[in-house]
């Protein structure tokens, strides 16, 4: 039963489809509308996932060239790898913390001003696993382990969307949708950097091109050409023998590079279509859910939700973040610290998102510098998280996204003092949020805008 619950809750398409269904039921929609809305919401997520799969498959050879051909050795942060290792010993605790953590998220959204329902199921699963491991090693067991773990999970599921919301309003032009992805610290930092340095910088989406280069205004074309140039440089540097024997199954290495580049662009195009489909269904359906269960709550959705608002910033953010990762790798080498290799996939999804956040506040300068700093940050945070995971027996890998690093380091330090402190801290945080909501009058929308 626990495995069945986790399978449902960790599958984003099913989870968001269920939320859409509850919202449609709350609005007393007809059976036909419920079937249509639920199905199209699930369909949108599956389309998005299909696009993400294409992007990942087209980027994996790039990582293989970096390691196999250029001989760079180190640790590649990977959420899936560290979680799969931890589940062997902490599977039951992870499942219970995830299930009750989602309940805690709804209660926190209901009784505090952190009114966000986190709907990115796989990230909820990863965070639940990390929390379960840290609390177990701290000495918490059975009921207290699940209670404290669920409160920590519910809190971070509401807190991180809250700190990203002012940037989401700038990106989307509305206050209807929240942001639910555990790389939020990096994205908020990129948005703040854009605000700081980007005054007067034009948006990445404003391309002033000569007439004969107007085809580059189409993001799919510009992404294809840019990635083709990058891939061609990489395969030429790696050499035809390595590419054709290790990666392309005998296919000409130049043809292979071009196909991978266009496959990447196709994946991004599919992601954008999936996001548009999701937004068209989940926002109206979620209105009913929030009106009945959590007044004024917003759905916090996965990072590709911002991609359609600045497709050029997606590519610029990815490239800038990856360059930041390479610079971070060089700095780690000079400091003689553990080498964190830039994982191409996290630099795409997280770096692209940082680029969109930076562009929203600081145009092209914000996108480039914000994503670059993000790339450096996700090179260094895992270094400080490694001692925590190493003490837990997972020194071979680590988490890739910023919020895992921030939460893991904080909880690891608290756990080092003892189970009592890590429990008291979360009780104090939740209690303080509830008390503030009850005792301090909430400003009206007119007062807030003024």
């Amino acid at each position: 039963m626990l495995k069945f619950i986790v399978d449902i809750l960790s599958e984003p398409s099913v989870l968001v489809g269920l939320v859409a269904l509850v919202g449609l039921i709350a609005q007393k929609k007809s059976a036909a509308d419920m079937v249509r809305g639920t199905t199209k919401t699930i369909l949108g997520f599956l389309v998005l996932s299909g696009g993400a799969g294409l992007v990942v498959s087209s980027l994996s050879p790039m990582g293989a060239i970096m390691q196999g051909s250029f001989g760079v050795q180190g640790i590649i942060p990977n959420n899936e790898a560290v979680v799969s290792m931890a589940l062997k010993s902490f599977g039951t605790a992870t499942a219970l913390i995830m299930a009750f953590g989602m309940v805690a998220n709804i209660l926190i959204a209901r009784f505090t001003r952190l009114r966000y329902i986190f709907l990115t199921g796989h990230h909820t699963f990863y965070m639940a696993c990390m929390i379960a491991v840290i609390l177990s090693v701290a000495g918490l067991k059975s009921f207290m382990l699940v209670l404290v773990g669920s409160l920590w999970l519910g809190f971070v599921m509401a807190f991180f969307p809250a700190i990203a919301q002012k940037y989401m309003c700038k990106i989307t032009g509305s206050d209807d949708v929240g942001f639910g992805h555990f790389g939020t610290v990096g994205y908020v930092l990129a948005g703040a950097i854009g605000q700081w340095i980007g005054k007067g910088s034009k948006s990445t989406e404003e391309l002033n091109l000569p007439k004969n280069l107007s085809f580059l205004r189409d993001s799919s074309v510009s992404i294809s050409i840019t990635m083709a140039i990058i891939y061609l440089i990489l395969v030429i540097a790696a050499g035809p023998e390595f590419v054709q024997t290790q990666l392309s199954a005998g296919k000409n290495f130049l043809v292979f590079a071009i196909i991978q580049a266009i496959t990447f662009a196709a994946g991004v195009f599919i992601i954008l279509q999936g996001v548009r489909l999701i937004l068209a269904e989940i926002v109206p359906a979620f209105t009913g859910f929030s009106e009945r269960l959590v007044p004024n709550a917003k759905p916090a959705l996965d990072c590709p939700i911002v991609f359609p608002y600045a497709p050029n910033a997606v590519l610029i953010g990815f490239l800038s973040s990856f360059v930041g990762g390479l610079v971070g790798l060089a700095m780690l080498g000079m400091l003689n610290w553990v080498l964190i290799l830039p994982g191409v996939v996290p630099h795409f999804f997280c770096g692209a998102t940082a680029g969109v956040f930076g562009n929203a506040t600081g145009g092209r300068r914000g996108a480039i510098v914000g994503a670059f700093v993000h790339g450096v940050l996700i090179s260094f945070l895992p270094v400080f998280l490694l001692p925590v995971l190493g003490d837990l027996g997972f020194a071979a890998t680590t988490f890739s996204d910023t919020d895992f690093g921030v939460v893991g380091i904080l909880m690891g330090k608290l756990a080092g003092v003892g189970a009592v402190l890590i429990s008291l801290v979360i009780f104090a945080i939740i209690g303080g949020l509830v008390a503030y909501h009850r005792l301090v009058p909430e400003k009206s929308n007119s007062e807030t805008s003024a």
Side-chain angles (χ1 to χ4, degrees), residues 292-327:
R292 293 302 175 97
L293 295 179
V294 189
N296 302 316
K298 298 175 180 64
L301 302 172
D302 201 354
C303 63
I305 209 73
V306 301
F307 288 5
Y309 297 97
N312 294 331
V314 168
L315 180 61
I316 291 170
F318 163 46
L319 297 176
S320 299
S321 180
F322 191 73
V323 171
L326 293 174
V327 171

Side-chain angles (χ1 to χ4, degrees), residues 19-27 37-38 41 280-290:
V19 171
L21 177 60
V22 171
L24 293 166
I25 292 171
Q27 294 178 75
T38 305
T41 301
E281 298 299 326
I282 190 64
V283 172
F286 197 83
T287 302
F289 176 86
S290 63

Side-chain angles (χ1 to χ4, degrees), residues 106-438:
I106 293 172
L107 292 175
I108 289 168
R110 176 67 179 82
F111 295 108
T112 76
R113 294 182 193 172
L114 302 179
R115 298 191 183 104
Y116 301 90
I117 308 297
F118 195 96
L119 296 179
T120 308
H122 62 295
H123 261 221
T124 306
F125 181 55
Y126 300 157
M127 186 65 80
C129 183
M130 186 180 76
I131 290 172
V133 174
I134 292 174
L135 294 182
S136 296
V137 173
L140 288 171
K141 296 178 181 177
S142 60
F143 173 76
M144 283 302 294
L145 171 64
V146 175
L147 174 63
V148 174
S150 300
L151 289 176
W152 270 105
L153 180 60
F155 168 67
V156 299
M157 290 169 73
F159 172 75
F160 285 117
I163 66 173
Q165 192 59 23
K166 75 171 185 176
Y167 299 106
M168 282 296 288
C169 291
K170 285 191 73 69
I171 292 167
T172 65
S174 75
D175 198 24
D176 294 334
V177 178
F179 185 85
H181 188 267
F182 286 132
T184 308
V185 170
Y187 312 143
V188 168
L189 177 61
I193 288 170
Q195 205 163 3
W196 181 42
I197 68 165
K199 187 177 181 181
S201 179
K202 291 184 178 180
S203 169
T204 56
E205 310 313 299
E206 297 177 29
L207 291 175
N208 298 317
L209 296 169
K211 197 169 185 180
N212 58 349
L213 293 178
S214 60
F215 61 89
L216 290 175
R217 289 195 179 95
D218 185 323
S219 61
S220 297
V221 176
S222 59
I223 288 172
S224 297
I225 292 173
T226 304
M227 291 304 293
I229 293 169
I230 292 169
Y231 247 117
L232 286 169
I233 292 171
L234 284 173
V235 299
I236 290 170
E241 183 178 352
F242 176 82
V243 175
Q244 290 171 196
T245 57
Q246 301 295 322
L247 301 175
S248 70
K251 185 184 293 183
N252 181 276
F253 72 116
L254 298 177
V255 174
F256 173 77
I258 293 169
I259 293 299
Q260 293 302 311
I262 297 177
T263 301
F264 174 87
V268 173
F269 178 82
I270 293 170
I271 287 173
L272 300 182
Q273 300 311 307
V275 168
R276 292 186 180 106
L277 189 58
I278 293 163
L279 287 176
E281 298 299 326
I282 190 64
V283 172
F286 197 83
T287 302
F289 176 86
S290 63
E291 283 177 351
R292 293 302 175 97
L293 295 179
V294 189
N296 302 316
K298 298 175 180 64
L301 302 172
D302 201 354
C303 63
I305 209 73
V306 301
F307 288 5
Y309 297 97
N312 294 331
V314 168
L315 180 61
I316 291 170
F318 163 46
L319 297 176
S320 299
S321 180
F322 191 73
V323 171
L326 293 174
V327 171
L329 175 64
M331 292 168 68
L332 291 171
M334 289 189 291
L335 292 168
N336 203 24
W337 289 4
V338 177
L339 294 183
I340 302 296
L341 302 185
V344 181
V345 173
H347 276 288
F348 170 69
F349 286 103
C350 300
T353 306
V356 175
F357 272 67
N359 177 66
T361 58
R364 296 169 193 171
R365 280 202 299 274
I368 293 169
V369 179
F372 175 84
V373 172
H374 168 274
V376 175
L377 181 63
I378 64 171
S379 299
F380 276 83
L381 267 181
V383 174
F384 298 108
L385 182 60
L386 270 174
V388 176
L389 297 179
D391 292 343
L392 307 180
F394 307 118
T397 186
T398 184
F399 289 94
S400 58
D401 306 343
T402 56
D403 298 352
F404 292 104
V406 171
V407 174
I409 293 166
L410 171 63
M411 292 189 70
K413 296 296 183 184
L414 293 173
V417 176
V420 174
L421 180 61
I422 203 171
S423 304
L424 289 176
V425 167
I426 193 59
F427 291 144
I429 290 172
I430 303 294
L433 288 170
V434 173
Y436 179 81
H437 177 60
R438 291 176 65 87

